Amino acid sequence: MSLRVDALFQPITLGKLELKNRLAMAPMTRNRSPKGIPGDDVAAYYRRRAEADIGLIITEGTPPPHKAAVGYPNVPLFFGEEPLAGWKRVVDEVHAAGGKIFPQLWHVGSIRQAGINPGGDLPGYGPSAIVHPNHAKINPNKQAQPPHEMTQVDIDECVQAFATAAKSAQDLGFDGVEIHGAHGYLIDQFFWETTNQRTDKYGGSFENRLNFAIELIAATRAAVGPDYPICFRFSQWKQGDYNWKIAQNAEELDRFLTPLSHAGVDIFHASTRRFWEPEFEGSDLNLAGWTRKITGKPTITVGSVGLDTDFLTTFKGVTAKAAGIEQLVERLEKGEFDLVAVGRALLSDPAWASKVHEGRSDEIVDFNPACLAKLI
C-alpha cells in the first residue's frame, strides 16, 4: 500500500466521534423509498459501502417533520413510525459493517412544487414570496409558483422540526447529524439575498440573513446535548447558478462561518464541484481548506473525487472515467482538510474505497449515468 494512499485510511477522532479512516460517503438523493419508508434495500445499499472501507456514511437528504419540507417523490422521511423504523435498520446494518453514519436533514424550501406527498397541495415555503430565479432549470416541466413567505410561526416550527429530527437520530443510534444548508435549498435561501428580501431580523444585512441558520443550529444543539456531532453542509454555488458566491473573499467567509461555528457546528462539509479548485485568488486552499483555517473546526472536502469530470457533465449523459487521487492525498497530508467525501464514484462502484486501499485502482468502474437506474 502506497504511503500516498495510506493517508486516506488513517483513523481520526473528532470530539467523541471515532472514525476508522478519512473517507465519507457524500449524500446523494436516490428516490428509492416508496411512501417515504427506507426499506431493506436501502439498508443494504448503505451497508455495502460501509463494508468496503467507507468510514462515515452521510445519507441521502431526508426531510424533518415540517409540512412543506419534501420536494421530491419517494425520498425517505425522517419522521413517522415506519420511516424511523426503516432508518433504525439502516443504522444497525452500517454499524454491523463497522461504519459510522449521519442522516442529512434536508428542507427544500421554495423549490418544492405542490402535489408532492406528504404535503399535498402546499406550496413551497421560503424566506420571501419570490420564485426561485433558476426555477426553469431546476423544474423545466413545471410552472413556477411563488412560495409561501414564512411567518415567525413558520420559522419557529421549522427550527423545531430540525431539532426534533436530530433528537430522533440520536435516539435511533446515528453517530451524528448533518444539516443541509447548501445548494439553494431552504437554509441557503435565507443566506441568499436573491431569494431573501425580508425586512425583519432574518433579512437585509449579511448578518441578519444568517439568523435563521443560527437559530436552527442552536436549537439542534440544545436538543442533542453538547457532545453529539453536528455537521453543517454549505456551498457557495446554487442550483442553476454555479458561479454564485456567498463570500467573495476570506474576510466575508469568516463573517459567514464564524457565527455558525459558535452556534454549535462541529464539522463543516464544504460542497464544491471540483475539490482541486482554489476558492479565492492568491491562495491554493479550496473551500474546505479556508473553512478549516477560519474556524479551526474539522472539515470535509468533496467534488469530483476519483473522477475526471464534474457532476453536471456526467448527468448530461457523459461517462466519467476514474481519475487519480494524488493531489487529493497530498492536500490531506498537508492538513488542508480532515475528511474526504466521495459521491458518484461510490454509486458506480461500491467497492471504490477498498480497491484504492488494496492497490486495485485499475479495477475501478467508471461512472456511467446509466448506473443511476440500479443504485445497488
Side-chain angles (χ1 to χ4, degrees):
M1 179 173 54
S2 167
L3 290 176
R4 307 296 291 172
V5 174
D6 185 57
L8 288 171
F9 297 93
Q10 296 301 308
I12 187 171
T13 299
L14 306 175
K16 291 194 173 181
L17 178 67
E18 296 181 357
L19 300 176
K20 65 183 181 181
N21 61 36
R22 307 305 183 91
L23 291 171
M25 181 177 184
M28 293 172 283
T29 300
R30 302 181 66 235
N31 305 98
R32 296 293 200 277
S33 297
K35 298 183 179 179
I37 302 168
D40 291 341
D41 59 325
V42 176
Y45 166 82
Y46 287 118
R47 175 170 182 150
R48 194 170 292 114
R49 276 75 185 173
E51 286 175 333
D53 270 333
I54 294 296
L56 175 63
I57 301 290
I58 305 173
T59 76
E60 60 209 284
T62 177
H66 184 263
K67 55 194 170 187
V70 182
Y72 303 95
N74 298 322
V75 298
L77 306 177
F78 214 78
F79 58 91
E81 184 177 351
E82 289 185 273
L84 291 181
W87 280 121
K88 176 60 174 158
R89 290 192 294 272
V90 173
V91 171
D92 291 345
E93 289 295 321
V94 169
H95 284 170
K100 302 292 177 68
I101 183 168
F102 290 8
Q104 187 194 64
L105 304 179
W106 174 44
H107 193 305
V108 302
S110 66
I111 289 174
R112 171 184 165 81
Q113 295 294 294
I116 301 295
N117 286 318
D121 292 334
L122 282 175
Y125 275 45
S128 301
I130 296 172
V131 173
H132 196 288
N134 303 314
H135 172 87
K137 295 179 182 179
I138 300 167
N139 296 298
N141 299 318
K142 295 181 180 179
Q143 184 175 357
Q145 178 182 7
H148 165 74
E149 183 170 315
M150 294 173 72
T151 66
Q152 184 65 57
V153 171
D154 295 325
I155 287 172
D156 293 343
E157 288 178 350
C158 194
V159 166
Q160 183 56 50
F162 273 83
T164 298
K167 186 63 172 70
S168 294
Q170 187 178 42
D171 292 343
L172 290 171
F174 280 90
D175 301 288
V177 295
E178 177 168 284
I179 296 170
H180 195 344
H183 305 163
Y185 294 115
L186 180 63
I187 296 172
D188 202 19
Q189 288 161 20
F190 274 85
F191 295 151
W192 194 13
E193 63 266 37
T194 303
T195 49
N196 184 350
Q197 298 292 310
R198 300 176 74 94
T199 57
D200 60 6
K201 68 176 182 178
Y202 300 104
S205 70
F206 186 95
E207 287 73 19
N208 279 5
R209 296 198 306 273
L210 303 181
N211 282 332
F212 176 63
I214 289 169
E215 291 181 8
L216 191 154
I217 293 163
T220 301
R221 171 56 67 208
V224 298
D227 299 325
Y228 193 66
I230 296 176
C231 181
F232 188 83
R233 194 178 208 206
F234 75 101
S235 66
Q236 297 264 45
W237 60 270
K238 319 299 177 192
Q239 287 194 64
D241 193 343
Y242 295 96
N243 295 315
W244 186 268
K245 286 183 180 290
I246 295 173
Q248 299 296 325
N249 52 53
E251 290 74 20
E252 290 185 355
L253 188 62
D254 190 342
R255 289 170 59 200
F256 173 73
L257 292 172
T258 298
L260 304 180
S261 179
H262 289 165
V265 173
D266 298 301
I267 305 166
F268 283 97
H269 188 173
S271 179
T272 57
R273 292 167 61 191
R274 307 174 186 92
F275 76 84
W276 58 86
E277 292 185 341
E279 191 58 33
F280 305 121
E281 291 184 7
S283 169
D284 290 333
L285 291 177
N286 69 8
L287 185 59
W290 272 110
T291 300
R292 193 178 193 276
K293 181 176 181 178
I294 288 169
T295 67
K297 298 287 180 71
T299 61
I300 306 172
T301 197
V302 70
S304 304
V305 173
L307 297 174
D308 66 352
T309 54
D310 69 16
F311 72 95
L312 283 183
T313 303
T314 59
F315 281 88
K316 291 177 181 178
V318 178
T319 295
K321 296 186 179 300
I325 56 172
E326 293 81 8
Q327 184 182 164
L328 176 77
V329 175
E330 181 179 349
R331 287 170 177 258
L332 178 64
E333 289 176 333
K334 290 180 178 178
E336 184 172 345
F337 38 76
D338 301 272
L339 301 174
V340 175
V342 184
R344 290 166 296 144
L346 283 175
L347 290 182
S348 55
D349 194 339
W352 180 88
S354 291
K355 290 176 180 179
V356 169
H357 197 179
E358 297 165 6
R360 297 187 290 127
S361 296
D362 58 329
E363 299 177 19
I364 291 174
V365 179
D366 294 337
F367 177 84
N368 187 316
C371 77
L372 295 176
K374 300 178 181 179
L375 287 181
I376 59 172

